[in-house]
């Protein structure tokens, strides 16, 4: 499926760089529109007005960077309540890390679900990667250091341009199929997930 003009839009997101308080994390207000644009490149996603994309945002109130990113993301989704991806409505669902297991257990394999990870600690990130196994929930992280733990997509902020990082093994295990048009713009992480 072709997406005319999307290369330009992603290119514009790549130009600016405004990191949050975590050195390797991109400000959620910049990362969220980029992540949603990347969804439009997932060839397994069939958008439309009868579909809903649910964005789960796990956070930990005890981890200051995670909680700060949650608050920025919450404000972003409140200000942009009419967001869509290829005609599909976006539903924002923040989730405290302690209750994520219950939500993951209730996911339908037919729905298009996204988990946008805040800057969680390594143990929490590994747990989430294990929980999502077999659920076909797509993972995006504000913090690029989470890629080796099984996160499919992240962005590394840089002074000149932000780099989209794709963990192909994780993306494929989640059911995403990204075409060459997107992958040419990305860094491919080829380590072990």
């Amino acid at each position: 499926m072709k997406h005319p003009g999307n290369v330009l839009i992603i290119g514009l997101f790549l130009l600016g760089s405004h990191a949050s308080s975590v050195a390797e994390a991109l400000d959620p207000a910049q990362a969220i529109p980029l992540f949603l644009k990347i969804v439009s490149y997932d060839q397994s996603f069939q958008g439309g007005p009868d579909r809903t994309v649910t964005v789960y945002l796990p956070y930990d109130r005890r981890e200051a960077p995670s909680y700060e990113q949650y608050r920025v993301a919450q404000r972003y989704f409140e200000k942009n309540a009419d967001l869509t991806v290829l005609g599909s409505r976006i539903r924002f669902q923040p989730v405290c890390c302690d209750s994520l297991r219950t939500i993951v257990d209730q996911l339908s394999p037919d729905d298009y679900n996204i988990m946008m990870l805040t800057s969680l600690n390594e143990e929490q990130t590994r747990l989430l990667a294990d929980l999502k196994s077999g659920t076909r929930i797509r993972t995006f992280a504000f913090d690029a250091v989470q890629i080796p733990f099984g996160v499919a997509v992240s962005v590394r902020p840089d002074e000149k341009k932000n780099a989209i990082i794709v963990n192909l093994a994780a993306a494929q295990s989640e059911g995403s199929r990204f075409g060459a048009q997107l992958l040419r713009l990305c860094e491919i992480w080829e380590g072990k997930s």
Side-chain angles (χ1 to χ4, degrees):
M1 173 187 322
K2 292 189 176 194
H3 300 282
N6 287 354
V7 174
L8 174 62
I9 294 170
I10 286 183
L12 293 174
F13 281 113
L14 291 171
L15 291 174
S17 121
H18 176 265
S20 70
S21 63
V22 178
E24 290 294 315
L26 188 65
D27 183 314
Q30 279 190 303
I32 291 167
L34 178 58
F35 291 159
L36 295 176
K37 181 56 67 179
I38 291 170
V39 168
S40 72
Y41 282 89
D42 184 350
Q43 296 168 353
S44 69
F45 175 61
Q46 300 299 316
D50 58 335
R51 301 282 315 263
T52 298
V53 175
T54 302
V55 176
Y56 294 96
L57 190 111
Y59 68 94
D60 187 344
R61 187 181 293 264
R62 300 167 299 218
E63 299 279 337
S66 173
Y67 190 65
E68 176 186 330
Q69 290 168 338
Y70 151 71
R71 292 180 58 208
V72 171
Q74 183 178 37
R75 284 191 299 271
Y76 178 85
F77 281 105
E78 286 172 355
K79 286 172 65 174
N80 298 284
D82 58 345
L83 281 175
T84 63
V85 174
L86 298 179
S88 298
R89 187 177 66 86
I90 305 294
R91 185 172 70 92
F92 175 61
Q93 180 69 48
V95 182
C96 181
C97 278
D98 299 334
S99 61
L100 190 63
R101 182 180 302 270
T102 305
I103 288 174
V104 169
D105 290 342
Q106 296 172 1
L107 292 175
S108 165
D110 299 328
D111 291 343
Y112 196 90
N113 299 293
I114 299 172
M115 187 179 347
M116 289 188 188
L117 280 79
T118 58
S119 294
L120 303 168
N121 65 41
E122 183 178 330
E123 180 183 336
Q124 292 168 318
T125 303
R126 286 183 190 276
L127 174 65
L128 291 174
D130 289 343
L131 283 175
K132 73 163 178 88
S133 179
T135 62
R136 298 179 64 85
I137 189 167
R138 279 54 175 196
T139 53
F140 297 84
F142 300 131
D143 194 337
V145 300
Q146 294 169 308
I147 284 284
F149 306 119
V151 173
V153 179
S154 188
V155 178
R156 186 183 62 249
D158 190 291
E159 288 183 21
K160 295 184 179 168
K161 71 175 187 175
N162 299 318
I164 300 169
I165 304 167
V166 175
N167 178 336
L168 273 180
Q172 290 168 348
S173 75
E174 296 170 3
S176 291
R177 294 187 333 258
F178 297 124
Q181 186 179 11
L182 173 67
L183 295 177
R184 278 193 300 273
L185 300 172
C186 302
E187 288 181 20
I188 306 301
W189 190 82
E190 296 184 29
K192 182 176 177 252
S193 290

